């Protein structure tokens, strides 16, 4: 008991200390030298890493009747304090564009109204709490959008975040090797090995305990690493290339078809659209050729159902998703405008619709696998329309950046391609797995969205004042 009290005290004191210090530093961030990485970018990067690695599964102190205290949430308090400080800071760098924020606020309002009518708590302990989904799927990620738009404005800060995501992805790739070859004594965090959570235990599922989301995190890290590569020199470049090579086998170790598809989309886009100062076929087409040769040589394995031998022909899972789709259509037809309520797909599916559209040979596969379809079931056409408007607006921002950013430097048109890839991978991966319950993928998606919207706003200001470059950016590349 004393140990628990001491731990709680330490967490609370740490939270207060970080928050106060962060509040103090945030008010001075933009009066300091922009050639240095800001304290804000460091803490925000730590929060993104904590969202992947140090959530409730890693450690949580449960406060009776209140909330769980985790490392990730302590860091999130610091992020929120920064945003609050920015509201009162005279040096606040607030971009002019205000198109996406009202859409985010409207979507949050729709979620809150839905929970007001259908409940904030889960109807059973075995079901996901609507409040939990709202926080991890939308509220915290929306805060990440606002933070990224307002504070990730210099090349140094943005590069630091990219490095954090790259090293996180490389680390997950190394852990994927240990998971795949059952060297689980080397896997960290150890909760990844928890046999009580059986889903994807035979694959590289990482700290998300889900191979599709683990693969998403690695692809994001790979894309960030590609954008950082031109700014590496000497031994650092060699190490960087070595870490990039880790991603190729690690993606296979997820044994997940949606991850394969997203990675092929990433490689294809980089090969066709990403500009480099050297013939990029030397970097990307050779690995693609190796993959093609191995695929042809093992075509008989591709048609098998054994994932570990490279097989991708698992008909049963396709039938399960088809049945879930048909069940979802029935549920949408019953409540087309406003849906069944946030996080109500599984309870309603089990209680009312299981007999109407049975899932073949399965009692566990009741969860939705398509984010937008699941959102339509839960929030209706009203909710999904607002969310789609957010996604479409973000992609329009990316296109504007691609045509408007300079063709050299860190914040160039290649950055727009990178952001577009990350947004596309998120959307495509959510066609196969609903990530609404996981904080990291949603936070990363809207972090890149916030960067894009912020750059778009500053690009508009630049064009209006005939500035030679994007305000807040540096004129030369750098190492981090």
């Amino acid at each position: 008991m004393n140990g628990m009290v001491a731990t709680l005290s330490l967490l609370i004191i740490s939270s207060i200390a970080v928050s106060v210090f962060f509040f103090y530093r945030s008010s001075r961030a933009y009066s300091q030298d922009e050639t240095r990485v800001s304290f804000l970018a460091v803490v925000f990067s730590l929060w993104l890493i904590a969202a992947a690695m140090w959530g409730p599964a890693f450690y949580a102190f449960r406060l009776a009747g209140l909330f769980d205290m985790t490392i990730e949430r302590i860091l999130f308090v610091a992020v929120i304090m920064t945003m609050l400080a920015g509201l009162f800071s005279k040096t606040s760098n607030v971009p002019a564009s205000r198109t996406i924020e009202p859409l985010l606020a409207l979507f949050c309002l729709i979620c809150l109204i839905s929970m007001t009518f259908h409940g904030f708590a889960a109807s059973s302990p075995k079901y996901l709490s609507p409040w939990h989904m709202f926080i991890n799927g939308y509220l915290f990620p929306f805060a990440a959008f606002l933070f990224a738009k307002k504070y990730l404005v210099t090349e140094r800060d943005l590069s630091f975040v990219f490095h954090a995501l790259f090293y996180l992805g490389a680390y997950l790739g190394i852990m994927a090797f240990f998971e795949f070859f059952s060297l689980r004594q080397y896997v960290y965090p150890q909760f990844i090995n928890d046999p009580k959570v059986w889903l994807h235990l035979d694959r590289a599922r990482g700290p998300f305990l889900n191979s599709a989301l683990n693969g998403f995190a690695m692809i994001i890290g790979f894309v960030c690493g590609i954008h950082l590569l031109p700014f590496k020199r000497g031994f650092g470049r060699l190490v960087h290339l070595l870490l990039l090579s880790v991603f190729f086998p690690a993606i296979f170790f997820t044994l997940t078809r949606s991850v394969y598809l997203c990675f092929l989309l990433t490689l294809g886009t980089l090969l066709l659209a990403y500009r480099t100062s050297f013939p990029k076929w030397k970097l990307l087409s050779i690995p693609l050729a190796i993959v093609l040769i191995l695929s042809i040589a093992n075509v008989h394995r591709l048609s098998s159902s054994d994932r570990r031998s490279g097989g991708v022909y698992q008909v049963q899972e396709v039938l399960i998703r088809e049945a879930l789709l048909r069940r979802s259509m029935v549920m949408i037809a019953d409540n087309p405008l406003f849906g069944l309520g946030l996080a109500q797909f599984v309870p309603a599916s089990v209680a009312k619709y299981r007999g109407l559209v049975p899932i073949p040979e399965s009692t566990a596969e009741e969860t939705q696998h398509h984010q937008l379809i699941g959102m339509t079931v839960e929030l209706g056409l009203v909710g999904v329309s607002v969310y789609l408007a957010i996604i479409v607006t973000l992609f329009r921002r990316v296109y504007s950046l691609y045509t408007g950013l300079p063709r050299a430097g860190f914040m160039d048109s290649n950055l727009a391609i990178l952001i577009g890839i990350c947004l596309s991978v998120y959307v495509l991966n959510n066609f196969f797995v609903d990530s609404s319950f996981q904080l990291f993928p949603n936070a990363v998606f809207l972090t890149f969205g916030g960067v894009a919207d912020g750059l778009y706003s500053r690009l508009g200001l630049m064009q209006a004042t005939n500035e030679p470059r994007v305000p807040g950016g540096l004129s030369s590349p750098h190492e981090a």
Side-chain angles (χ1 to χ4, degrees):
M1 183 65 181
N2 292 335
M4 295 175 62
V5 173
T7 301
L8 175 60
S9 301
L10 178 61
L11 288 172
I12 293 175
I13 293 172
S14 300
S15 178
I16 294 174
V18 170
S19 300
V20 171
F21 183 55
F22 204 27
F23 186 93
Y24 170 73
R25 290 296 300 265
S26 64
S27 64
R28 305 175 57 209
Y30 286 96
S31 65
Q32 296 178 348
D33 184 3
E34 287 188 350
T35 62
R36 300 177 60 186
V37 176
S38 72
F39 181 73
L40 312 180
V42 173
V43 175
F44 185 77
S45 299
L46 287 175
W47 175 66
L48 287 178
I49 294 174
M53 302 286 291
W54 304 317
F58 176 75
Y59 177 80
F61 187 88
R62 290 170 172 81
L63 300 176
L66 295 176
F67 51 83
D68 294 348
M69 183 76 74
T70 66
I71 297 174
E72 171 267 316
R73 290 182 180 177
I74 291 174
L75 291 170
F76 184 74
V77 170
V79 174
I80 291 298
M81 291 300 293
T82 298
M83 296 175 63
L84 292 177
L87 295 176
F88 302 101
S89 174
K90 294 182 179 180
T91 59
S92 175
N93 184 15
V94 181
S97 174
R98 284 291 182 273
T99 302
I100 297 180
E101 286 88 341
L103 292 173
L104 297 177
L106 178 59
F107 189 84
C108 284
L109 179 61
I110 291 172
C111 292
L112 290 172
I113 293 174
S114 176
M115 289 187 290
T116 300
F117 281 96
H118 300 282
F120 286 80
S123 58
S124 171
K126 63 181 180 180
Y127 297 142
L128 181 67
S129 163
W131 183 248
H132 177 82
M133 176 180 283
F134 175 64
I135 289 176
N136 286 341
Y138 310 114
L139 184 61
F140 284 11
F142 288 176
F145 172 90
L146 298 174
F147 182 96
K149 180 175 180 177
K150 176 176 170 57
Y151 292 109
L152 298 183
V153 297
T154 68
E155 291 185 8
R156 290 278 176 179
D157 288 352
L158 193 56
S159 175
F160 188 89
V161 174
F162 282 8
H163 276 85
L165 292 173
F166 170 64
Y167 291 133
L168 172 63
Y171 179 81
L172 295 177
I174 295 172
M175 291 300 104
F177 174 88
F178 295 138
E179 289 183 77
F180 186 78
F181 291 104
S182 297
L183 300 172
R184 296 193 171 272
Q185 65 271 28
Y186 302 113
V187 174
Y188 176 86
Q190 277 292 307
F191 69 80
I192 295 174
N193 303 321
D194 186 0
K196 296 179 182 178
V197 183
W198 56 268
L199 182 65
H200 298 171
L201 187 58
D202 58 330
R203 313 180 196 179
R205 61 181 185 174
F208 312 97
L209 307 183
N210 185 299
S211 60
L213 301 183
N214 195 41
F216 167 81
M218 288 191 284
I219 292 174
I220 296 299
F222 176 79
V223 172
C224 291
I226 289 292
H227 195 65
L228 293 169
L229 180 61
F231 307 110
K232 298 295 179 180
R233 299 291 182 270
F235 181 72
R237 183 180 180 87
L238 179 62
V239 173
H240 197 84
L241 285 169
L242 180 62
L243 290 176
L244 280 173
S245 68
V246 169
F247 288 90
F248 290 90
I251 293 297
F252 170 74
F253 294 156
T254 64
L255 304 179
T256 303
R257 289 171 294 187
S258 62
V259 176
Y260 300 163
L261 182 59
C262 290
F263 196 54
L264 287 176
L265 170 67
T266 299
L267 293 177
T269 305
L270 290 174
L271 186 61
L272 294 174
Y274 200 82
R275 292 192 313 276
T276 61
S277 59
F278 56 90
K280 56 190 171 185
W281 61 267
K282 293 182 178 180
L283 178 65
L284 292 177
S285 62
I286 293 178
L288 281 174
I290 293 174
V291 170
L292 181 61
I293 292 172
L294 291 176
S295 299
I296 295 174
N298 295 276
V299 66
H300 62 287
R301 294 185 177 182
L302 291 174
S303 60
S304 75
S305 59
D306 182 8
R307 291 182 183 267
R308 294 187 72 87
S309 66
V312 296
Y313 190 69
Q314 291 85 30
V315 178
Q316 184 64 23
E317 294 185 359
V318 176
L319 294 177
I320 290 174
R321 282 166 169 77
E322 181 185 8
L324 282 170
L325 176 61
R326 287 188 282 112
R327 182 181 291 184
S328 298
M329 294 300 103
V330 174
M331 299 168 78
I332 292 172
D334 285 351
N335 300 271
L337 289 180
F338 302 105
L340 300 173
L342 186 67
Q344 298 300 321
F345 177 85
V346 175
S349 177
V350 172
K352 182 178 178 181
Y353 296 90
R354 174 179 283 177
L356 296 177
V357 183
I359 306 299
E361 300 182 16
S362 175
T363 57
E365 287 286 352
E366 301 287 352
T367 58
Q368 182 58 258
H369 287 269
H370 194 297
Q371 183 195 34
L372 295 178
I373 293 177
M375 186 180 295
T376 307
V377 171
E378 297 180 348
L379 299 177
L381 295 174
V382 173
V384 77
S385 297
V386 175
Y387 194 78
L388 283 173
I390 295 171
I391 294 177
V392 171
T393 305
L394 289 178
F395 278 104
R396 292 183 62 184
R397 295 288 189 264
V398 171
Y399 179 77
S400 298
L401 292 178
Y402 180 72
T403 58
L405 285 174
R407 300 177 68 88
F410 189 86
M411 291 183 177
D412 61 354
S413 55
N414 274 341
L415 178 62
I417 295 174
L418 179 150
I419 294 175
I421 290 174
C422 293
L423 299 184
S424 299
V425 167
Y426 174 85
V427 173
L428 179 58
N429 200 44
N430 278 340
F431 281 7
F432 304 94
V433 57
D434 185 0
S435 65
S436 300
F437 61 95
Q438 281 279 2
L439 174 60
F440 178 81
N442 300 302
V444 167
F445 171 68
L446 284 176
T447 293
F448 280 103
V451 170
D453 198 38
L455 282 174
Y456 172 84
S457 300
R458 291 187 295 279
L459 181 63
L461 294 175
M462 176 190 72
Q463 292 173 342
T465 58
N466 294 319
E467 294 267 352
R469 61 186 177 90
V470 177
L474 297 178
S475 58
S476 60
H478 60 276
E479 298 263 353

mmCIF file with all atom_site columns, all heavy atoms in Angstrom, residues 417-430:
data_model
loop_
_atom_site.group_PDB
_atom_site.id
_atom_site.type_symbol
_atom_site.label_atom_id
_atom_site.label_alt_id
_atom_site.label_comp_id
_atom_site.label_asym_id
_atom_site.label_entity_id
_atom_site.label_seq_id
_atom_site.pdbx_PDB_ins_code
_atom_site.Cartn_x
_atom_site.Cartn_y
_atom_site.Cartn_z
_atom_site.occupancy
_atom_site.B_iso_or_equiv
_atom_site.pdbx_formal_charge
_atom_site.auth_seq_id
_atom_site.auth_comp_id
_atom_site.auth_asym_id
_atom_site.auth_atom_id
_atom_site.pdbx_PDB_model_num
ATOM 1   N N   . ILE A 1 417 ? 4.551   15.229 -50.391 1.00 0.00 ? 417 ILE A N   1
ATOM 2   C CA  . ILE A 1 417 ? 4.379   13.829 -50.790 1.00 0.00 ? 417 ILE A CA  1
ATOM 3   C C   . ILE A 1 417 ? 4.439   12.923 -49.567 1.00 0.00 ? 417 ILE A C   1
ATOM 4   O O   . ILE A 1 417 ? 3.631   11.998 -49.410 1.00 0.00 ? 417 ILE A O   1
ATOM 5   C CB  . ILE A 1 417 ? 5.455   13.433 -51.813 1.00 0.00 ? 417 ILE A CB  1
ATOM 6   C CG1 . ILE A 1 417 ? 5.279   14.228 -53.105 1.00 0.00 ? 417 ILE A CG1 1
ATOM 7   C CG2 . ILE A 1 417 ? 5.413   11.931 -52.102 1.00 0.00 ? 417 ILE A CG2 1
ATOM 8   C CD1 . ILE A 1 417 ? 6.367   14.008 -54.119 1.00 0.00 ? 417 ILE A CD1 1
ATOM 9   N N   . LEU A 1 418 ? 5.399   13.185 -48.682 1.00 0.00 ? 418 LEU A N   1
ATOM 10  C CA  . LEU A 1 418 ? 5.531   12.391 -47.461 1.00 0.00 ? 418 LEU A CA  1
ATOM 11  C C   . LEU A 1 418 ? 4.251   12.458 -46.627 1.00 0.00 ? 418 LEU A C   1
ATOM 12  O O   . LEU A 1 418 ? 3.740   11.430 -46.178 1.00 0.00 ? 418 LEU A O   1
ATOM 13  C CB  . LEU A 1 418 ? 6.723   12.899 -46.659 1.00 0.00 ? 418 LEU A CB  1
ATOM 14  C CG  . LEU A 1 418 ? 7.034   12.220 -45.323 1.00 0.00 ? 418 LEU A CG  1
ATOM 15  C CD1 . LEU A 1 418 ? 8.525   12.276 -45.039 1.00 0.00 ? 418 LEU A CD1 1
ATOM 16  C CD2 . LEU A 1 418 ? 6.297   12.907 -44.163 1.00 0.00 ? 418 LEU A CD2 1
ATOM 17  N N   . ILE A 1 419 ? 3.741   13.668 -46.422 1.00 0.00 ? 419 ILE A N   1
ATOM 18  C CA  . ILE A 1 419 ? 2.514   13.815 -45.629 1.00 0.00 ? 419 ILE A CA  1
ATOM 19  C C   . ILE A 1 419 ? 1.360   13.105 -46.318 1.00 0.00 ? 419 ILE A C   1
ATOM 20  O O   . ILE A 1 419 ? 0.553   12.416 -45.674 1.00 0.00 ? 419 ILE A O   1
ATOM 21  C CB  . ILE A 1 419 ? 2.189   15.305 -45.415 1.00 0.00 ? 419 ILE A CB  1
ATOM 22  C CG1 . ILE A 1 419 ? 3.267   15.960 -44.545 1.00 0.00 ? 419 ILE A CG1 1
ATOM 23  C CG2 . ILE A 1 419 ? 0.822   15.473 -44.763 1.00 0.00 ? 419 ILE A CG2 1
ATOM 24  C CD1 . ILE A 1 419 ? 3.110   17.454 -44.381 1.00 0.00 ? 419 ILE A CD1 1
ATOM 25  N N   . GLY A 1 420 ? 1.286   13.223 -47.640 1.00 0.00 ? 420 GLY A N   1
ATOM 26  C CA  . GLY A 1 420 ? 0.229   12.546 -48.374 1.00 0.00 ? 420 GLY A CA  1
ATOM 27  C C   . GLY A 1 420 ? 0.307   11.035 -48.233 1.00 0.00 ? 420 GLY A C   1
ATOM 28  O O   . GLY A 1 420 ? -0.729  10.363 -48.100 1.00 0.00 ? 420 GLY A O   1
ATOM 29  N N   . ILE A 1 421 ? 1.516   10.487 -48.242 1.00 0.00 ? 421 ILE A N   1
ATOM 30  C CA  . ILE A 1 421 ? 1.684   9.044  -48.052 1.00 0.00 ? 421 ILE A CA  1
ATOM 31  C C   . ILE A 1 421 ? 1.188   8.629  -46.673 1.00 0.00 ? 421 ILE A C   1
ATOM 32  O O   . ILE A 1 421 ? 0.458   7.636  -46.522 1.00 0.00 ? 421 ILE A O   1
ATOM 33  C CB  . ILE A 1 421 ? 3.158   8.643  -48.236 1.00 0.00 ? 421 ILE A CB  1
ATOM 34  C CG1 . ILE A 1 421 ? 3.580   8.779  -49.706 1.00 0.00 ? 421 ILE A CG1 1
ATOM 35  C CG2 . ILE A 1 421 ? 3.393   7.203  -47.763 1.00 0.00 ? 421 ILE A CG2 1
ATOM 36  C CD1 . ILE A 1 421 ? 5.058   8.531  -49.935 1.00 0.00 ? 421 ILE A CD1 1
ATOM 37  N N   . CYS A 1 422 ? 1.584   9.377  -45.650 1.00 0.00 ? 422 CYS A N   1
ATOM 38  C CA  . CYS A 1 422 ? 1.195   9.024  -44.276 1.00 0.00 ? 422 CYS A CA  1
ATOM 39  C C   . CYS A 1 422 ? -0.324  9.076  -44.102 1.00 0.00 ? 422 CYS A C   1
ATOM 40  O O   . CYS A 1 422 ? -0.909  8.190  -43.468 1.00 0.00 ? 422 CYS A O   1
ATOM 41  C CB  . CYS A 1 422 ? 1.890   9.955  -43.288 1.00 0.00 ? 422 CYS A CB  1
ATOM 42  S SG  . CYS A 1 422 ? 3.684   9.747  -43.211 1.00 0.00 ? 422 CYS A SG  1
ATOM 43  N N   . LEU A 1 423 ? -0.955  10.106 -44.655 1.00 0.00 ? 423 LEU A N   1
ATOM 44  C CA  . LEU A 1 423 ? -2.412  10.190 -44.571 1.00 0.00 ? 423 LEU A CA  1
ATOM 45  C C   . LEU A 1 423 ? -3.065  9.039  -45.327 1.00 0.00 ? 423 LEU A C   1
ATOM 46  O O   . LEU A 1 423 ? -4.040  8.438  -44.854 1.00 0.00 ? 423 LEU A O   1
ATOM 47  C CB  . LEU A 1 423 ? -2.900  11.528 -45.132 1.00 0.00 ? 423 LEU A CB  1
ATOM 48  C CG  . LEU A 1 423 ? -2.407  12.816 -44.448 1.00 0.00 ? 423 LEU A CG  1
ATOM 49  C CD1 . LEU A 1 423 ? -3.066  14.033 -45.084 1.00 0.00 ? 423 LEU A CD1 1
ATOM 50  C CD2 . LEU A 1 423 ? -2.675  12.796 -42.958 1.00 0.00 ? 423 LEU A CD2 1
ATOM 51  N N   . SER A 1 424 ? -2.530  8.716  -46.509 1.00 0.00 ? 424 SER A N   1
ATOM 52  C CA  . SER A 1 424 ? -3.113  7.649  -47.332 1.00 0.00 ? 424 SER A CA  1
ATOM 53  C C   . SER A 1 424 ? -2.957  6.283  -46.665 1.00 0.00 ? 424 SER A C   1
ATOM 54  O O   . SER A 1 424 ? -3.884  5.463  -46.711 1.00 0.00 ? 424 SER A O   1
ATOM 55  C CB  . SER A 1 424 ? -2.437  7.629  -48.711 1.00 0.00 ? 424 SER A CB  1
ATOM 56  O OG  . SER A 1 424 ? -2.625  8.849  -49.397 1.00 0.00 ? 424 SER A OG  1
ATOM 57  N N   . VAL A 1 425 ? -1.796  6.037  -46.051 1.00 0.00 ? 425 VAL A N   1
ATOM 58  C CA  . VAL A 1 425 ? -1.573  4.760  -45.374 1.00 0.00 ? 425 VAL A CA  1
ATOM 59  C C   . VAL A 1 425 ? -2.552  4.595  -44.215 1.00 0.00 ? 425 VAL A C   1
ATOM 60  O O   . VAL A 1 425 ? -3.090  3.501  -43.986 1.00 0.00 ? 425 VAL A O   1
ATOM 61  C CB  . VAL A 1 425 ? -0.112  4.663  -44.889 1.00 0.00 ? 425 VAL A CB  1
ATOM 62  C CG1 . VAL A 1 425 ? 0.075   3.506  -43.920 1.00 0.00 ? 425 VAL A CG1 1
ATOM 63  C CG2 . VAL A 1 425 ? 0.824   4.492  -46.088 1.00 0.00 ? 425 VAL A CG2 1
ATOM 64  N N   . TYR A 1 426 ? -2.793  5.683  -43.492 1.00 0.00 ? 426 TYR A N   1
ATOM 65  C CA  . TYR A 1 426 ? -3.767  5.626  -42.392 1.00 0.00 ? 426 TYR A CA  1
ATOM 66  C C   . TYR A 1 426 ? -5.153  5.267  -42.907 1.00 0.00 ? 426 TYR A C   1
ATOM 67  O O   . TYR A 1 426 ? -5.822  4.379  -42.373 1.00 0.00 ? 426 TYR A O   1
ATOM 68  C CB  . TYR A 1 426 ? -3.792  6.974  -41.673 1.00 0.00 ? 426 TYR A CB  1
ATOM 69  C CG  . TYR A 1 426 ? -4.864  7.093  -40.618 1.00 0.00 ? 426 TYR A CG  1
ATOM 70  C CD1 . TYR A 1 426 ? -4.661  6.637  -39.319 1.00 0.00 ? 426 TYR A CD1 1
ATOM 71  C CD2 . TYR A 1 426 ? -6.098  7.674  -40.918 1.00 0.00 ? 426 TYR A CD2 1
ATOM 72  C CE1 . TYR A 1 426 ? -5.645  6.752  -38.348 1.00 0.00 ? 426 TYR A CE1 1
ATOM 73  C CE2 . TYR A 1 426 ? -7.089  7.788  -39.951 1.00 0.00 ? 426 TYR A CE2 1
ATOM 74  C CZ  . TYR A 1 426 ? -6.844  7.329  -38.673 1.00 0.00 ? 426 TYR A CZ  1
ATOM 75  O OH  . TYR A 1 426 ? -7.836  7.449  -37.722 1.00 0.00 ? 426 TYR A OH  1
ATOM 76  N N   . VAL A 1 427 ? -5.596  5.959  -43.943 1.00 0.00 ? 427 VAL A N   1
ATOM 77  C CA  . VAL A 1 427 ? -6.935  5.721  -44.484 1.00 0.00 ? 427 VAL A CA  1
ATOM 78  C C   . VAL A 1 427 ? -7.040  4.305  -45.050 1.00 0.00 ? 427 VAL A C   1
ATOM 79  O O   . VAL A 1 427 ? -8.019  3.589  -44.798 1.00 0.00 ? 427 VAL A O   1
ATOM 80  C CB  . VAL A 1 427 ? -7.271  6.769  -45.564 1.00 0.00 ? 427 VAL A CB  1
ATOM 81  C CG1 . VAL A 1 427 ? -8.596  6.427  -46.253 1.00 0.00 ? 427 VAL A CG1 1
ATOM 82  C CG2 . VAL A 1 427 ? -7.353  8.169  -44.945 1.00 0.00 ? 427 VAL A CG2 1
ATOM 83  N N   . LEU A 1 428 ? -6.024  3.873  -45.821 1.00 0.00 ? 428 LEU A N   1
ATOM 84  C CA  . LEU A 1 428 ? -6.065  2.543  -46.426 1.00 0.00 ? 428 LEU A CA  1
ATOM 85  C C   . LEU A 1 428 ? -6.023  1.447  -45.370 1.00 0.00 ? 428 LEU A C   1
ATOM 86  O O   . LEU A 1 428 ? -6.773  0.459  -45.454 1.00 0.00 ? 428 LEU A O   1
ATOM 87  C CB  . LEU A 1 428 ? -4.888  2.383  -47.395 1.00 0.00 ? 428 LEU A CB  1
ATOM 88  C CG  . LEU A 1 428 ? -4.765  1.031  -48.110 1.00 0.00 ? 428 LEU A CG  1
ATOM 89  C CD1 . LEU A 1 428 ? -6.030  0.717  -48.906 1.00 0.00 ? 428 LEU A CD1 1
ATOM 90  C CD2 . LEU A 1 428 ? -3.535  1.000  -49.004 1.00 0.00 ? 428 LEU A CD2 1
ATOM 91  N N   . ASN A 1 429 ? -5.170  1.595  -44.378 1.00 0.00 ? 429 ASN A N   1
ATOM 92  C CA  . ASN A 1 429 ? -5.077  0.581  -43.331 1.00 0.00 ? 429 ASN A CA  1
ATOM 93  C C   . ASN A 1 429 ? -6.393  0.458  -42.565 1.00 0.00 ? 429 ASN A C   1
ATOM 94  O O   . ASN A 1 429 ? -6.771  -0.641 -42.127 1.00 0.00 ? 429 ASN A O   1
ATOM 95  C CB  . ASN A 1 429 ? -3.946  0.930  -42.360 1.00 0.00 ? 429 ASN A CB  1
ATOM 96  C CG  . ASN A 1 429 ? -3.468  -0.269 -41.559 1.00 0.00 ? 429 ASN A CG  1
ATOM 97  O OD1 . ASN A 1 429 ? -3.283  -1.356 -42.099 1.00 0.00 ? 429 ASN A OD1 1
ATOM 98  N ND2 . ASN A 1 429 ? -3.275  -0.083 -40.274 1.00 0.00 ? 429 ASN A ND2 1
ATOM 99  N N   . ASN A 1 430 ? -7.104  1.574  -42.430 1.00 0.00 ? 430 ASN A N   1
ATOM 100 C CA  . ASN A 1 430 ? -8.388  1.549  -41.729 1.00 0.00 ? 430 ASN A CA  1
ATOM 101 C C   . ASN A 1 430 ? -9.514  0.951  -42.557 1.00 0.00 ? 430 ASN A C   1
ATOM 102 O O   . ASN A 1 430 ? -10.633 0.824  -42.071 1.00 0.00 ? 430 ASN A O   1
ATOM 103 C CB  . ASN A 1 430 ? -8.771  2.960  -41.275 1.00 0.00 ? 430 ASN A CB  1
ATOM 104 C CG  . ASN A 1 430 ? -8.090  3.349  -39.978 1.00 0.00 ? 430 ASN A CG  1
ATOM 105 O OD1 . ASN A 1 430 ? -7.636  2.498  -39.229 1.00 0.00 ? 430 ASN A OD1 1
ATOM 106 N ND2 . ASN A 1 430 ? -8.007  4.634  -39.716 1.00 0.00 ? 430 ASN A ND2 1
#
